[in-house]
Amino acid sequence: MKKYCNKFTLVEILAVVALIGILTAIGFGAYTYAMNSAKESSTKALIKRLESGLESCRTKFGYFPATSSGTTRDFKRLKFTKNSTTQLIDDIYIISSDGTNFFQFPAEMRQEFLKVVEGETLKKNLERSGSNADILVDGWGGMIYYAYPGFINETGVDLVSAGADGRFGNTSGGSATPENTRNRYYDTSTNEKNCDDIANF
């Protein structure tokens, strides 16, 4: 009678290891895709709420907070400071890239803005520490930029996130931080595309 061996052969072990590796790679890819999709959706929703809040302020007060002085257009960021006791948002600023305050929302405008854009929602998207504390960020932790007058929406506002790659336009060009010399978020003259950027235009 034949004797059967209960031990695994080397080929069988290698096959199992390879199968586990393949399944792990598929699972990790699916997880990464799901996480990126969730961050993209949350960033799109946040930009939509910000736009609605700004539109509400323009309807009530007759203007959008500007990001430029004179004829030079510029990019800015939004900062939301919290009350140290209540942790409620008590001030909204438009700030320059060097961290200086460019414009502070008047109290009435802040209240109108927060009626549309829930303060609790905003707090989840604020950088928590460092030099960028209280700056509004997207789902990946990158900055959300605001411009009025806009570079794309010339009679309205631009709200832009650089997306998952943290760069405006193609991954081979552009910059995660807009510069004054860059006249648009992506340069149409060099066939640069907006790639995975998330914006209201």
Side-chain angles (χ1 to χ4, degrees), residues 162-176 182 192-197:
D165 64 2
R167 301 174 70 88
F168 285 116
N170 293 336
T171 55
S172 60
S175 171
R182 190 175 175 83
E192 189 179 16
K193 305 299 182 183
N194 65 348
C195 208
D196 65 345
D197 302 350

Coordinates of all heavy atoms in Angstrom, one line a residue, residues 162-176 182 192-197:
A162 N -5.5 71.2 -4.6 CA -4.6 70.6 -5.5 C -4.8 69.1 -5.7 O -4.1 68.4 -6.5 CB -3.1 70.8 -5.1
G163 N -5.7 68.5 -4.9 CA -6.1 67.1 -5.0 C -5.1 66.1 -4.4 O -4.2 66.6 -3.6
A164 N -5.1 64.9 -4.7 CA -4.4 63.8 -4.1 C -2.9 64.0 -4.3 O -2.1 63.7 -3.4 CB -4.8 62.5 -4.6
D165 N -2.4 64.5 -5.4 CA -1.0 64.6 -5.7 C -0.4 65.9 -5.1 O 0.8 66.0 -5.1 CB -0.7 64.5 -7.1 CG -1.3 65.6 -8.0 OD1 -1.9 66.5 -7.4 OD2 -1.1 65.6 -9.2
G166 N -1.2 66.8 -4.5 CA -0.7 68.0 -3.9 C -0.1 69.0 -4.9 O 0.7 69.8 -4.4
R167 N -0.3 68.8 -6.2 CA 0.3 69.7 -7.1 C -0.8 70.2 -8.1 O -1.7 69.5 -8.5 CB 1.3 69.0 -8.0 CG 2.5 68.5 -7.1 CD 3.4 67.7 -8.0 NE 4.2 68.5 -8.9 CZ 5.3 69.1 -8.6 NH1 5.9 68.9 -7.5 NH2 5.9 69.9 -9.5
F168 N -0.7 71.5 -8.5 CA -1.7 72.0 -9.4 C -1.2 71.6 -10.8 O -0.1 71.5 -11.2 CB -1.7 73.5 -9.4 CG -2.5 74.1 -8.2 CD1 -1.9 74.8 -7.3 CD2 -3.8 73.8 -8.1 CE1 -2.6 75.3 -6.2 CE2 -4.6 74.2 -7.0 CZ -3.9 75.0 -6.1
G169 N -2.2 71.2 -11.6 CA -1.9 70.8 -13.0 C -1.3 69.4 -13.1 O -1.4 68.6 -12.2
N170 N -0.5 69.2 -14.2 CA 0.2 67.9 -14.4 C 1.2 67.7 -13.3 O 1.8 68.6 -12.7 CB 0.9 67.9 -15.7 CG 0.0 68.0 -16.9 OD1 -1.2 67.6 -16.8 ND2 0.4 68.5 -18.0
T171 N 1.4 66.4 -13.0 CA 2.4 66.0 -12.0 C 3.8 66.4 -12.3 O 4.7 66.5 -11.5 CB 2.3 64.5 -11.7 OG1 2.5 63.8 -12.9 CG2 1.0 64.1 -11.1
S172 N 4.0 66.6 -13.6 CA 5.4 67.0 -14.1 C 5.6 68.5 -14.0 O 6.8 68.9 -14.2 CB 5.6 66.5 -15.6 OG 4.6 67.2 -16.4
G173 N 4.6 69.2 -13.7 CA 4.8 70.7 -13.6 C 3.9 71.3 -12.6 O 3.2 70.6 -11.9
G174 N 4.0 72.6 -12.4 CA 3.1 73.2 -11.4 C 3.7 73.2 -10.0 O 4.9 72.8 -9.8
S175 N 3.0 73.6 -9.1 CA 3.5 73.7 -7.7 C 2.3 73.5 -6.7 O 1.2 73.9 -7.0 CB 4.1 75.1 -7.5 OG 4.4 75.3 -6.2
A176 N 2.6 72.9 -5.6 CA 1.6 72.8 -4.6 C 1.2 74.1 -4.0 O 0.1 74.2 -3.5 CB 2.1 71.8 -3.5
R182 N 2.5 82.7 -11.5 CA 1.6 81.7 -12.1 C 0.3 82.4 -12.3 O -0.5 82.5 -11.4 CB 1.6 80.5 -11.3 CG 0.9 79.3 -11.9 CD 1.0 78.1 -11.0 NE 0.3 76.9 -11.5 CZ 0.9 76.1 -12.4 NH1 2.1 76.3 -12.8 NH2 0.2 75.0 -12.8
E192 N -1.2 72.2 -20.2 CA -1.2 71.6 -18.9 C -2.7 71.5 -18.5 O -3.5 72.3 -18.7 CB -0.5 72.6 -17.9 CG -0.3 72.0 -16.5 CD 0.4 73.0 -15.6 OE1 0.4 74.2 -15.9 OE2 0.8 72.5 -14.6
K193 N -3.0 70.3 -17.9 CA -4.4 70.0 -17.5 C -4.6 70.2 -16.0 O -3.6 70.2 -15.2 CB -4.7 68.6 -17.9 CG -4.5 68.3 -19.4 CD -5.3 69.2 -20.3 CE -5.1 68.8 -21.8 NZ -5.9 69.7 -22.7
N194 N -5.8 70.3 -15.6 CA -6.1 70.4 -14.2 C -6.0 69.1 -13.4 O -6.1 69.1 -12.2 CB -7.4 71.1 -13.9 CG -8.6 70.3 -14.4 OD1 -8.4 69.3 -15.1 ND2 -9.8 70.7 -14.0
C195 N -5.8 68.0 -14.1 CA -5.4 66.7 -13.6 C -6.4 66.3 -12.5 O -7.6 66.3 -12.7 CB -4.0 66.8 -13.0 SG -3.1 65.3 -13.0
D196 N -5.9 66.1 -11.2 CA -6.9 65.7 -10.2 C -7.2 66.8 -9.3 O -7.8 66.6 -8.2 CB -6.2 64.6 -9.3 CG -5.0 65.0 -8.6 OD1 -4.5 66.1 -8.9 OD2 -4.5 64.3 -7.7
D197 N -7.0 68.1 -9.7 CA -7.4 69.2 -8.9 C -8.9 69.2 -8.7 O -9.6 68.8 -9.5 CB -6.9 70.5 -9.6 CG -5.4 70.6 -9.8 OD1 -4.7 69.7 -9.3 OD2 -5.0 71.5 -10.6

